[in-house]
Amino acid sequence: MALSVLSVVSEIYPLIKTGGLADVAGALPPALAAQGVAVHSVVPGYPAVLRALEGAQEAARFDELWGGPARLMAGRAAGLDLFVIDAPHLYARPGDPYRGPDGADWPDNWSRFAALSRVAERIARGVVPGYAPDAVHAHDWQAGLTPAFLHYTPGRPVGSVMTIHNLAFQGQYPPRLLGLLGLPAAAWSIGGVEYYGGIGYLKAGVQLADRITTVSPSYAEEIQTAAGGMGMDGLLRQRGAVLSGILNGIDTTVWNPATDPALPAGFEPGKLEGRGACKLALQARLGLTVDPGAMVIGVVSRLTWQKGMDLLLGALPVLLGEGAQLALLGSGDAGLQQGFVAAAAAHPGRVGVEVGYDEGLAHLIQAGSDVAAVPSRFEPCGLTQLCALRYGALPLVARVGGLTDTVIDASEVAVAAGVGTGMMFAPVTLEALEAAIKRAARLWRRQATWRTLQANAMATDVGWERSAGRYAALFRELAGVEAESVIKVVRRPALVGAAGFEPTTPSPPD
Ligand code: ADP
């Protein structure tokens, strides 16, 4: 029997993406299908998602979903099985999933994502005829209320997994919203949704899900400490027995240097001529001096404090002093954007910066850089260093979270043993970053050693198979299905017509 899982998520690649969450949400379903787990994803009906939906059928209807009616559309897009919440009053807006064009969070995000979780609970409970998932997989705070709705609403029991992709985003709202969420008074407790005097969406999920995962083993440890727990470490320690870290992978068909359409030339381990062409193309594209001998340090990142981008800006004099070039693509904090743009203007040919979001350039940077810098202050898993490994750019990373779990530091011992894949530094300070850049430059001057490290990097297993197996085991455990009994055939549940009306509006506050 194939297992059926409902994934609850606020962004999904390639339909809508602001970061790694979307990559994971888009890559896990095909990886799980290979493990005999059929995933349907329920996502908000942003315009881009509704546009992409093929063969959409109305699967359910909600008369009132926090301010208006909604339809649940079932269909496929980009190979994914989707339930899309068509609720124009909540999701038909410009901007990214969370913010308007002015960059400010939508003031009704509390209801936009409560709706996502409530609809997920309704689906899990059978609102779509013929569909009954064995487990629910909630991603991040936007889906955090799903385990709470499952817990406080009667219905068939369905196990839930809460995955923390980034503990920094918790979804905290004022207590006066409790009644508007349709949760019973009993939910207002330390064992429920209450969190430091407010309502915590992620906290609710962490509290009430049957299993909790996060995206790397090291981050699973860090978030249980006061230093890394961001206020939730006590609860995470308390739930430690059901908390585990499952490392993210990347979609190795999207990130395949041999076939990548964004590159001027393909390459693969042992056949790196095309990589040289990518480097020259990258240098030309970003206005860098075209020079195969210069070490290019690439960055594809949100420009934020978390990502240590202020440290990178501070380390520029050392980077330039070592004769390296910087190729940076990113967007985020206005101050950091301005800082990098000013650096590019001050160092023409040495610092190339593009502010914005550009998938194609992100691929070219990974393919054309020699080093990929990820100096994050904390990093749940990090995907860009995985892309870099596959594309033969040596990650230069802070020793935090998933970066620790995915890169082998090229210490002299590791180099002698022939096992390094990148450069790691700690603590996350300017001085340590500068020292790591100097170390990278020394290694760059030892080209034979560099080639060995690069070959090691490219041989690293960065795909999803192993981790998808771990998720599949977790779902099976929740569903009480023995692994041995799973037949590796993926069944697509039939969606027959529209379901009946299901009011989901909670009672007004008392
Ligand atoms: P985050 O914390 O931002 O989710 P991850 O490393 O987990 O960090 O994932 C970031 C993802 O977003 C990667 O796929 C990366 O290539 C992509 N990305 C980040 N910034 C940009 C950008 N400016 N343009 C294109 N892709 C980007």
Side-chain angles (χ1 to χ4, degrees), residues 91-172:
Y91 308 125
R93 303 180 189 181
D96 80 15
Y98 320 113
R99 286 163 285 264
D102 63 354
D105 282 357
W106 294 111
D108 58 348
N109 274 351
W110 69 272
S111 59
R112 298 174 76 231
F113 297 108
L116 172 65
S117 296
R118 177 56 97 179
V119 170
E121 180 271 331
R122 295 283 75 210
I123 299 171
R125 258 48 195 276
V127 75
V128 178
Y131 182 71
D134 299 296
V136 172
H137 190 184
H139 298 272
D140 268 355
W141 74 266
Q142 296 90 343
L145 287 183
T146 310
F149 287 137
L150 285 169
H151 181 81
Y152 292 111
T153 312
R156 66 184 273 270
V158 188
S160 59
V161 177
M162 180 78 235
T163 294
I164 301 168
H165 295 263
N166 192 336
L167 190 58
F169 305 108
Q170 301 190 347
Q172 282 169 263

Side-chain angles (χ1 to χ4, degrees), residues 126-481:
V127 75
V128 178
Y131 182 71
D134 299 296
V136 172
H137 190 184
H139 298 272
D140 268 355
W141 74 266
Q142 296 90 343
L145 287 183
T146 310
F149 287 137
L150 285 169
H151 181 81
Y152 292 111
T153 312
R156 66 184 273 270
V158 188
S160 59
V161 177
M162 180 78 235
T163 294
I164 301 168
H165 295 263
N166 192 336
L167 190 58
F169 305 108
Q170 301 190 347
Q172 282 169 263
Y173 294 103
R176 64 183 168 75
L177 298 179
L178 186 73
L180 295 172
L181 290 174
L183 288 165
W188 183 250
S189 72
I190 188 126
V193 304
E194 191 273 334
Y195 188 52
Y196 293 105
I199 299 168
Y201 282 31
L202 182 63
K203 186 268 179 174
V206 166
Q207 183 79 57
L208 297 166
D210 298 293
R211 297 286 184 281
I212 305 157
T213 70
T214 187
V215 290
S216 69
S218 288
Y219 195 58
E221 297 294 324
E222 288 174 11
I223 60 178
Q224 294 182 67
T225 66
M230 298 189 165
M232 221 182 279
D233 48 296
L235 174 59
L236 288 161
R237 279 196 300 278
Q238 193 188 318
R239 302 225 65 208
V242 294
L243 166 65
S244 60
I246 303 181
L247 204 56
N248 281 340
I250 55 170
D251 186 327
T252 51
T253 56
V254 174
W255 290 96
N256 182 353
T259 59
D260 192 332
L263 307 183
F267 59 93
E268 55 190 277
K271 287 191 201 153
L272 293 175
E273 299 76 25
R275 199 169 198 285
C278 292
K279 178 168 179 174
L280 303 186
L282 172 64
Q283 288 174 320
R285 165 85 190 262
L286 287 181
L288 296 167
T289 305
V290 175
D291 174 5
M295 181 174 79
V296 175
I297 299 186
V299 176
V300 179
S301 183
R302 289 187 286 122
L303 301 182
T304 63
W305 182 87
Q306 177 201 333
K307 299 290 181 179
M309 287 294 115
D310 52 319
L311 300 176
L312 184 68
L313 205 49
L316 255 188
V318 166
L319 186 153
L320 296 172
E322 292 294 331
Q325 298 179 346
L326 178 68
L328 179 138
L329 166 66
S331 63
D333 296 351
L336 288 168
Q337 288 183 182
Q338 283 158 15
F340 282 109
V341 168
H347 305 284
R350 309 286 310 280
V351 177
V353 169
E354 189 153 313
V355 171
Y357 189 91
D358 184 331
E359 292 275 346
L361 182 55
H363 284 237
L364 184 61
I365 288 178
Q366 299 290 13
S369 300
D370 302 297
V371 171
V374 193
S376 305
R377 289 193 167 83
F378 65 93
E379 193 58 77
C381 177
L383 297 179
T384 54
Q385 85 281 9
L386 300 181
C387 304
L389 287 166
R390 181 146 166 88
Y391 277 49
L394 300 192
L396 187 159
V397 303
R399 190 188 298 279
V400 294
L403 301 173
T404 313
D405 297 335
T406 52
V407 176
I408 301 171
D409 182 51
S411 63
E412 280 309 319
V413 176
V415 168
V419 295
T421 61
M423 285 71 58
M424 214 179 268
F425 67 94
V428 192
T429 59
L430 177 62
E431 295 69 33
L433 172 59
E434 288 173 341
I437 292 171
K438 288 181 185 165
R439 188 151 67 92
R442 283 198 299 278
L443 284 167
W444 175 250
R445 289 191 282 272
R446 293 158 59 185
Q447 275 294 305
T449 301
W450 192 273
R451 296 290 155 228
T452 305
L453 297 174
Q454 190 178 41
N456 294 345
M458 295 183 81
T460 306
D461 177 9
V462 293
W464 263 111
E465 194 180 335
R466 207 167 9 145
S467 293
R470 295 197 56 202
Y471 276 110
L474 199 61
F475 294 136
R476 280 191 195 112
E477 183 191 317
L478 270 186
V481 179

Side-chain angles (χ1 to χ4, degrees), residues 11-12 16-23 96-99 302 357:
E11 51 182 280
I12 188 162
I16 182 120
K17 165 171 165 177
T18 69
L21 171 62
D23 289 319
D96 80 15
Y98 320 113
R99 286 163 285 264
R302 289 187 286 122
Y357 189 91

